[in-house]
Amino acid sequence: MKKIIYSMMALAFSAAVFTSCEDVPAPYHMTFEDSNVTPTPQPTTDLNTEATAWTVAEAVQKIQAGQTSNGEAYVKGVISAVTFYDANHKSITYYLSDNGTDQTLQVYSGKGLDGADFVARTDLQVGQTVVVKGNLKSFTNKQGQTIMEIDRSSKIITINNSVSPTPQPTTDLNTEATAWTTTEAVQKIQAGQTSNGEAYVKGVISAVTFYDANHKSITYYLSDNGTDKTLQVFSGKGVDGADFTAKTDLQVGQTVVVKGNLKSFTNKQGQTIMEMDKGSKIITINNSVTPTPQPTTSALEAKFDTGMDNFTINNITIPSDLTFVWKHDANKKYMKASSFKSNVNYAAQSRLESPTFSLTGRTSATLTFQVAANYFTTAADNFKVQVSTNGTTWHDVPISTYPAKDWKFVTSTCDLSAYAGQSNVRIGFLYTCDGTNAAGTWEIKNIEVK
């Protein structure tokens, strides 16, 4: 009988212990921050060794062949671009290639030597040769582009801190006296006749776009007529290779003879750019600048007094409950956008698109329009101005002034100088509501590009 009683007491004690587990505090080392995030498990098997590190081209081939999912790999390459420093994770995103110029393989949010933290973007420099160890994969970004990359948390195994400029061919393809026009230079690039030497090109500066304070160089454009952006001189040097001190060291309208390596490349937007590569130098420069005459007429004008003035509406995403987002108001003489109906903020996205217009012959351009609004949550999320040169790919441009929530029209501008010289330009006014935040109402009129 005692045994039975003792057994029952033991069972009761055990039950009490287990039912009170919820009162036991978690171990001190546990954390519930980011409890919904489960890190992607990374394979730790080595696919090769530091001594047999793959070239960047080999790494890309391995990714494409599906041979990188079961381990980490060593890859050796030259840093061709340093794009972003993540202060939170103390990591850097950068690109590697075999030739030091192409952006072949992205190292996403990578760590430093032996996994050490970076302290600034300048901890890595274009031209350095590194061996990196990490997980190789491909992914498709929001623009539908497939990116080959070394995934986050990679580490640098070795780094050559002496940055050697990419070797450039030194053979001269012509002479200063026989310098090509910019049109001839483009034809030579397209014919594949520029890869084995440097060339002299004579042209008129049509745009000065960027001063690189680190390399004391300037990126600018040349053309034969002084207006078109025919040939980009990327990160070029001054007379006889001298450093530039400011963007204003070059002026639109100056005639120059430049010597350097000619090539073409495709940018992130899929555009093919004809250029003279970094490291070029100016041989002669005519400092008497004749201002390029700018067209005085408007490239685009829309009042919306009597209609849509050849603008069109592209309903990207619109629910069945709405018949429109953008609409012309004949009484008020403006275009109006909203996805609010019957006390519901509908998720929708619709773009009011202009007809194509030309900015040929211009070195600068400005969009001016009047806009009023109300009920929005965040203006910049609800209303954007975009530009396209092909009618398919659209890029946001900064808006100088947003209206208050008071229906009062304000005059706003957008700098379109980056598209000067192009002949197939369109602007768009993008309305977006996520269905959670307020569906603002927007009104625009008196659009002009000049």
Side-chain angles (χ1 to χ4, degrees):
M1 185 66 179
K2 288 183 179 180
K3 290 182 178 181
I4 294 173
I5 293 172
Y6 291 153
S7 297
M8 293 176 65
M9 291 176 62
L11 286 171
F13 177 75
S14 299
V17 169
F18 283 113
T19 56
S20 63
C21 282
E22 63 183 6
D23 297 324
V24 178
Y28 70 93
H29 62 274
M30 291 181 65
T31 177
F32 290 94
E33 293 180 356
D34 297 327
S35 59
N36 292 326
V37 179
T38 303
T40 304
Q42 299 291 338
T44 57
T45 306
D46 291 347
L47 302 179
N48 55 357
T49 66
E50 180 183 348
T52 61
W54 295 331
T55 64
V56 176
E58 288 173 332
V60 169
Q61 291 171 350
K62 296 287 186 180
I63 296 171
Q64 292 172 331
Q67 298 173 354
T68 61
S69 61
N70 61 338
E72 292 187 314
Y74 293 82
V75 179
K76 184 176 182 179
V78 182
I79 297 175
S80 54
V82 182
T83 57
F84 180 69
Y85 172 65
D86 185 337
N88 291 328
H89 298 94
K90 301 185 186 302
S91 60
I92 294 179
T93 295
Y94 55 102
Y95 281 88
L96 298 180
S97 67
D98 293 323
N99 61 11
T101 56
D102 299 331
Q103 295 186 4
T104 311
L105 183 69
Q106 177 179 260
V107 182
Y108 175 68
S109 193
K111 288 289 190 174
L113 197 62
D114 296 325
D117 289 341
F118 288 115
V119 297
R121 180 174 172 178
T122 52
D123 286 351
L124 291 181
Q125 297 293 325
V126 170
Q128 290 177 314
T129 299
V130 293
V131 174
V132 184
K133 182 181 180 183
N135 298 104
L136 293 170
K137 70 170 190 177
S138 67
F139 82 99
T140 303
N141 64 16
K142 294 180 180 179
Q143 289 73 44
Q145 299 168 314
T146 299
I147 308 297
M148 302 296 173
E149 77 167 19
I150 298 179
D151 203 5
R152 68 177 69 197
S153 300
S154 66
K155 61 182 178 181
I156 294 176
I157 304 301
T158 63
I159 185 168
N160 174 11
N161 284 308
S162 58
V163 178
S164 300
T166 304
Q168 300 290 340
T170 56
T171 305
D172 290 349
L173 302 178
N174 55 356
T175 67
E176 180 183 349
T178 60
W180 296 331
T181 64
T182 58
T183 301
E184 290 173 331
V186 169
Q187 291 171 346
K188 296 287 186 180
I189 296 171
Q190 292 171 332
Q193 299 173 354
T194 61
S195 61
N196 61 339
E198 292 186 316
Y200 293 82
V201 178
K202 184 176 182 178
V204 182
I205 298 175
S206 55
V208 182
T209 57
F210 180 71
Y211 172 65
D212 184 338
N214 290 328
H215 299 94
K216 300 185 185 304
S217 60
I218 294 178
T219 296
Y220 55 102
Y221 282 88
L222 298 179
S223 68
D224 295 326
N225 60 11
T227 55
D228 299 332
K229 294 181 177 180
T230 309
L231 183 71
Q232 176 179 261
V233 181
F234 175 70
S235 192
K237 289 287 190 174
V239 176
D240 296 325
D243 289 341
F244 287 114
T245 59
K247 184 177 177 180
T248 52
D249 287 350
L250 290 181
Q251 298 292 325
V252 170
Q254 290 176 314
T255 299
V256 293
V257 174
V258 189
K259 182 182 180 182
N261 297 104
L262 294 169
K263 69 171 191 176
S264 67
F265 83 99
T266 302
N267 64 16
K268 293 180 180 180
Q269 288 73 44
Q271 299 168 315
T272 299
I273 309 296
M274 302 296 173
E275 78 167 18
M276 186 171 283
D277 202 6
K278 67 178 69 176
S280 68
K281 61 182 179 181
I282 294 176
I283 305 302
T284 63
I285 184 169
N286 174 12
N287 283 309
S288 59
V289 178
T290 302
T292 304
Q294 294 288 318
T296 57
T297 58
S298 299
L300 175 71
E301 192 170 5
K303 300 290 187 181
F304 303 133
D305 285 345
T306 59
M308 291 179 56
D309 288 338
N310 295 318
F311 274 65
T312 56
I313 298 170
N314 179 8
N315 288 322
I316 302 167
T317 304
I318 184 169
S320 59
D321 300 88
L322 298 181
T323 56
F324 63 88
V325 173
W326 283 102
K327 185 179 181 180
H328 179 251
D329 190 319
N331 293 325
K332 300 290 183 63
K333 298 181 180 181
Y334 52 54
M335 293 298 298
K336 181 176 181 179
S338 178
S339 63
F340 180 80
K341 181 181 178 182
S342 301
N343 293 321
V344 177
N345 296 301
Y346 286 99
Q349 191 172 57
S350 180
R351 186 188 297 113
L352 177 65
E353 299 177 0
S354 77
T356 58
F357 58 92
S358 176
L359 295 178
T360 302
R362 301 172 190 261
T363 57
S364 63
T366 302
L367 164 67
T368 303
F369 61 98
Q370 289 185 291
V371 58
N374 210 334
Y375 305 128
F376 57 81
T377 299
T378 303
D381 293 337
N382 201 194
F383 181 81
K384 298 179 185 294
V385 175
Q386 299 182 313
V387 179
S388 176
T389 56
N390 59 14
T392 302
T393 304
W394 294 83
H395 305 284
D396 297 345
V397 291
I399 300 174
S400 66
T401 307
Y402 282 97
K405 300 178 184 179
D406 57 8
W407 298 123
K408 293 181 180 179
F409 279 95
V410 298
T411 299
S412 188
T413 62
C414 297
D415 184 6
L416 304 185
S417 296
Y419 302 90
Q422 301 201 41
S423 60
N424 192 37
V425 185
R426 303 178 75 179
I427 59 169
F429 297 92
L430 181 68
Y431 180 95
T432 301
C433 179
D434 59 11
T436 300
N437 291 298
T441 299
W442 293 81
E443 302 163 349
I444 62 172
K445 63 182 181 179
N446 297 333
I447 295 169
E448 183 178 25
V449 176
K450 195 171 182 180

